[in-house]
Amino acid sequence: MFLGFQKNQTWWSQNIDENLKLKVTGDSKNILVKNHYLSCDPYMRLLMKNQSTEIFDPYTPGAPITGLGVSKVIDSRNPELKEGDLFWGITGWEEYSLLKSSEGLFKIHHTDIPLSYYTGILGMPGLTAYGGFYEVCAPKKGEYVFVSAASGAVGQLVGQFAKLMGCYVVGSAGTQDKVELLKNKFGFDDAFNYKEEPDLNAAVKRYFPEGIDIYFENVGGKMLHAVLLNMRVCGRIAVCGMISQYNCDQPEGVHNLMSIVYKRVRIEGFAVADYYPQYSKFLDFILPYIREGKIKYVEDIVEGLENAPTALIGLFNGRNVGKQVVVVSSQ
Ligand code: NDP
C-alpha cells in the first residue's frame, strides 16, 4: 500500500493497516485523512529557506512538505472529527496523511459549493482578503483602491470587496489576459500589465491622478516604491505579502519612505491567522454572495500530485491564473 509519505517521518504510524484504518488506542488524537485538493500558496517558498518565521517553522529536508488542503477523514481517534467528515486545514502533500490533532482544521459544512473553493475563496485566501481589506484597510465608500497581484487567489477578492464597498478599484497583473479578467470578470474599474510599464511611477500616476487611498500590497519591490510616491494624505497600505522578494537571498531595500511622513500614511502588516476566530462570520458574509453569483472566483486547477511542484513554482512567474489548486483525488 502506498501512502505517499515516508516511514521514517515522525508522524508515520506503524499502526495503519492495509484497510486504511487506525489501530491506535489510548489517548491518541490521530486522524487518518485522504487528501483531495492541495493549495499552492506563496508562503510555502519561505518555508524552504530554513528560516523560522513568527508564524511557521521551515520545512524539514527529506520529509513531505505540508500545506493547506481539503481532505476527508478515513478514520479518527479524535472526538472533533469522525469518519467521513470533510475539512480544510494543514495536511501533507501526499495522498493520505496521518494528522496528530484537529487543531487548525475547519470542518466543512456547506457542500453545495465546489470543495476546491475551500483552498481559496472559502479558505485561507478568502479570509486573508476579508480581514486584510475590511479590517486593516478600513475602507470608505468612494475611496481609491489599488491591488497588486490582483488576479490571484487573494487579489481577485480584494478588488470585488472594494467594488461592493463602492470604491474605485484598479489592479495590476502580469499578462494582458489577466488584465482583461480583472476588468471583465471581477469588475475592476481599470487594470494594467505592470510588465509592460517601463516606469511604474508614471503608470500608477496615470491610473490614480488624484492619488491612492488604499493599497493592498501583495508584491513589494518596485511596485511599492511607485505606490509610496502616489499615496494620498492619510492613506493606508495593508501589507499582505511581498512575493517579489520570496526568491531573493536578501530582500531589496525600500525607497521613498519619506512619503509615509509627508502623507501621514499608515502601513500595517497582518497575518490571516489573526482572523481565524472570525471564520464563521466570514462564511455568513461570503456564502450568499457566492450562491447569488455576486462574487466570482477563478481557479487554476492542475490534476495530479506529480504536477504539484510545477504548479507551486508557477506562482513565482505568474503562470497561474487565479487560485492555484492541485487535485490529488476528486473522489
Ligand atoms: P497569487 O494567486 O496571487 O499568485 C501569486 C501571483 O503573484 C502570481 O500569479 C504573479 O501574478 C504574482 N507575482 C509573482 N512574482 C511576482 C513578482 N516578482 N512581482 C510581481 N508579481 C509577482 O497568490 P496569493 O493570492 O495566494 O498571494 C498573494 C500575496 O498574499 C502573496 O504575497 C502572499 O504571500 C500573500 N498572502 C499573505 C497572507 C497573510 O496572512 N498575510 C495570506 C495569504 C497570502 P502576475 O502574473 O500578476 O505577476
Side-chain angles (χ1 to χ4, degrees):
M1 175 185 59
F2 174 63
L3 284 177
F5 50 79
Q6 298 167 1
K7 287 191 180 186
N8 60 2
Q9 72 182 79
T10 51
W11 39 311
W12 167 266
S13 165
Q14 301 292 333
N15 299 311
I16 300 173
D17 74 7
E18 291 298 311
N19 299 315
L20 282 175
K21 291 290 173 187
L22 293 173
K23 299 294 181 195
V24 182
T25 52
D27 59 1
S28 160
K29 298 275 178 69
N30 286 358
I31 309 157
L32 178 63
V33 306
K34 180 172 183 174
N35 297 316
H36 290 284
Y37 298 96
L38 297 178
S39 173
C40 295
D41 289 295
Y43 79 88
M44 298 169 78
R45 175 67 184 90
L46 299 174
L47 306 193
M48 296 172 186
K49 287 189 167 177
N50 200 23
Q51 298 163 351
S52 272
T53 66
E54 296 292 320
I55 305 174
F56 295 106
D57 290 327
Y59 289 135
T60 306
I65 64 172
T66 55
L68 291 161
V70 174
S71 312
K72 186 191 269 180
V73 177
I74 303 291
D75 196 11
S76 172
R77 291 294 173 271
N78 193 304
E80 302 293 325
L81 286 165
K82 61 177 191 315
E83 185 179 338
D85 280 348
L86 290 160
F87 67 89
W88 71 267
I90 293 286
T91 188
W93 272 36
E94 53 200 354
E95 291 171 83
Y96 296 90
S97 297
L98 184 62
L99 308 182
K100 283 183 165 172
S101 88
S102 57
E103 203 180 318
L105 306 182
F106 295 82
K107 217 191 264 194
I108 292 174
H109 299 287
H110 305 277
T111 51
D112 57 317
I113 314 281
L115 274 184
S116 57
Y117 274 26
Y118 288 90
T119 66
I121 185 170
L122 291 178
M124 184 277 280
L127 200 55
T128 302
Y130 177 75
F133 183 65
Y134 288 108
E135 296 220 355
V136 182
C137 297
K140 293 190 273 299
K141 188 175 177 196
E143 286 192 313
Y144 297 114
V145 177
F146 179 45
V147 188
S148 54
S151 67
V154 176
Q156 58 177 294
L157 292 174
V158 174
Q160 292 180 82
F161 293 164
K163 285 313 300 172
L164 288 175
M165 180 57 86
C167 298
Y168 177 82
V169 193
V170 176
S172 64
T175 67
Q176 197 50 40
D177 285 348
K178 290 183 181 182
V179 166
E180 297 308 320
L181 198 62
L182 293 177
K183 293 194 286 190
N184 301 330
K185 185 153 185 116
F186 302 133
F188 283 59
D189 294 289
D190 219 330
F192 64 93
N193 178 354
Y194 69 94
K195 289 183 179 165
E196 288 181 348
E197 297 289 348
D199 180 345
L200 281 180
N201 178 26
V204 173
K205 216 177 272 309
R206 196 162 73 242
Y207 287 93
F208 293 98
E210 295 176 49
I212 299 167
D213 292 299
I214 290 171
Y215 174 46
F216 197 95
E217 166 68 301
N218 283 320
V219 303
K222 292 183 175 57
M223 188 62 90
L224 177 58
H225 306 159
V227 166
L228 282 171
L229 293 175
N230 289 282
M231 291 301 291
R232 298 182 91 181
V233 170
C234 294
R236 283 88 72 205
I237 300 180
V239 184
C240 178
M242 295 194 175
I243 194 169
S244 73
Q245 307 299 299
Y246 298 178
N247 275 328
C248 303
D249 289 334
Q250 289 293 328
E252 61 183 281
V254 182
H255 303 290
N256 308 328
L257 286 174
M258 277 308 286
S259 294
I260 301 168
V261 180
Y262 303 142
K263 304 282 183 59
R264 281 85 87 196
V265 173
R266 175 166 64 79
I267 302 185
E268 186 175 338
F270 68 97
V272 61
D274 297 342
Y275 299 103
Y276 278 3
Q278 296 190 35
Y279 182 62
S280 60
K281 182 176 152 208
F282 165 65
L283 281 185
D284 290 344
F285 163 84
I286 196 92
L287 282 168
Y289 284 116
I290 298 175
R291 290 188 175 121
E292 290 163 24
K294 290 186 178 152
I295 286 192
K296 312 273 195 304
Y297 202 62
V298 168
E299 300 177 297
D300 190 329
I301 305 233
V302 164
E303 298 279 341
L305 189 54
E306 66 281 9
N307 294 314
T310 307
L312 178 61
I313 291 166
L315 296 179
F316 300 89
N317 54 33
R319 198 212 57 82
N320 63 308
V321 181
K323 171 66 206 172
Q324 184 66 67
V325 185
V326 176
V327 186
V328 181
S329 165
S330 51
Q331 307 270 310

